[in-house]
Amino acid sequence: DAKTTQPPSMDCAEGRAANLPCNHSTISGNEYVYWYRQIHSQGPQYIIHGLKNNETNEMASLIITEDRKSSTLILPHATLRDTAVYYCIVRIVNDYKLSFGAGTTVTVRA
Amino acid sequence: EPEVTQTPSHQVTQMGQEVILRCVPISNHLYFYWYRQILGQKVEFLVSFYNNEISEKSEIFDDQFSVERPDGSNFTLKIRSTKLEDSAMYFCASSRMDSGNTIYFGEGSWLTVV
């Protein structure tokens, strides 16, 4: 029942911006886009979420296309500690669970 | 920054034994969750809990699992009679009831059933 499609892996150079794509072509008007990451086998870490506007916080920026069918998570200056599995999740605002897919394994290289 | 804390970080138990995993959610959060991740697999939802009762559970959360909020701060997951296939990382999580309802996870309890 995957609602999102992400590339399985990507590499990024340390200090450069990492742009992580996510397709969610069947997203509904009441569904948010959430991004989490998981470093090794630690607990998933919340990064950012948005409904239709672009969002930015201290960790990342989220760019959602106007038709909301895809989004991009931007890590502005990737560090080695950003190496992790990144999950793009679509979620109804009142749905009290998250459905994780396989995510994108991001490797930041020195 | 407030965080979800879990204990123990790692537990080894004999098959058939009861296990209780403990969690202290973020203090002003009202929704509590358990997820699990079998090694090499996806993070899976087990159960959500609100107002002292289960609000939703997955097919995985069968009769051998139970959850409880025994006091004002702890939230527990009990596995009554552990099986080998219960070996996994168990994550507790919590959220408020505001817009977006962001869910925050603990660092996990690694359960090994032998």
Side-chain angles (χ1 to χ4, degrees):
Chain A
D1 61 344
K3 292 186 175 182
T4 64
T5 304
Q6 299 179 253
S9 64
M10 61 184 293
D11 285 359
C12 175
E14 188 179 21
R16 304 294 294 270
N19 297 300
L20 283 61
C22 179
N23 285 321
H24 31 80
S25 58
T26 61
I27 193 169
S28 303
N30 62 345
E31 289 182 314
Y32 284 76
V33 179
Y34 276 79
W35 283 85
Y36 282 79
R37 73 181 182 183
Q38 189 175 25
I39 298 171
H40 298 298
S41 291
Q42 296 177 19
Q45 179 187 21
Y46 166 76
I47 301 173
I48 199 167
H49 74 280
L51 185 60
K52 52 184 177 181
N53 297 323
N54 297 337
E55 303 288 345
T56 295
N57 63 20
E58 65 279 3
M59 288 182 68
S61 294
L62 174 60
I63 309 298
I64 302 175
T65 57
E66 194 168 339
D67 63 8
R68 301 186 68 240
K69 293 185 177 182
S70 66
S71 60
T72 301
L73 179 74
I74 301 173
L75 307 177
H77 304 286
T79 71
L80 298 178
R81 288 176 296 177
D82 292 322
T83 292
V85 179
Y86 287 76
Y87 301 100
C88 171
I89 300 169
V90 164
R91 175 185 172 215
I92 296 173
V93 64
N94 290 323
D95 186 2
Y96 298 106
K97 66 179 183 290
L98 295 165
S99 296
F100 288 83
T104 296
T105 299
V106 173
T107 303
V108 181
R109 303 193 186 277
Chain B
E1 183 177 307
E3 58 183 23
V4 177
T5 57
Q6 293 186 240
T7 55
S9 56
H10 188 195
Q11 182 163 354
V12 180
T13 189
Q14 296 275 344
M15 191 168 52
Q17 294 295 306
E18 176 182 283
V19 160
I20 297 176
L21 305 178
R22 292 181 168 80
C23 167
V24 178
I26 296 172
S27 63
N28 62 349
H29 285 189
L30 298 177
Y31 282 88
F32 314 116
Y33 313 82
W34 285 100
Y35 288 73
R36 79 170 186 190
Q37 186 174 32
I38 295 171
L39 188 63
Q41 298 187 21
K42 298 176 186 178
V43 177
E44 302 173 290
F45 168 77
L46 290 179
V47 66
S48 59
F49 189 86
Y50 169 71
N51 200 25
N52 284 320
E53 61 183 27
I54 291 173
S55 52
E56 190 170 354
K57 60 183 180 180
S58 72
E59 292 176 354
I60 303 167
F61 194 87
D62 60 23
D63 291 343
Q64 70 158 345
F65 291 94
S66 62
V67 289
E68 191 180 29
R69 186 153 165 84
D71 53 44
S73 59
N74 290 286
F75 180 52
T76 62
L77 174 69
K78 182 191 290 186
I79 309 174
R80 263 180 267 282
S81 176
T82 51
K83 308 188 209 71
L84 295 176
E85 54 265 37
D86 294 327
S87 294
M89 182 74 89
Y90 288 82
F91 297 110
C92 177
S94 68
S95 66
R96 289 166 38 171
M97 286 183 68
D98 59 3
S99 174
N101 193 25
T102 300
I103 297 175
Y104 296 91
F105 288 79
E107 288 303 304
S109 293
W110 181 247
L111 175 65
T112 302
V113 182
V114 298

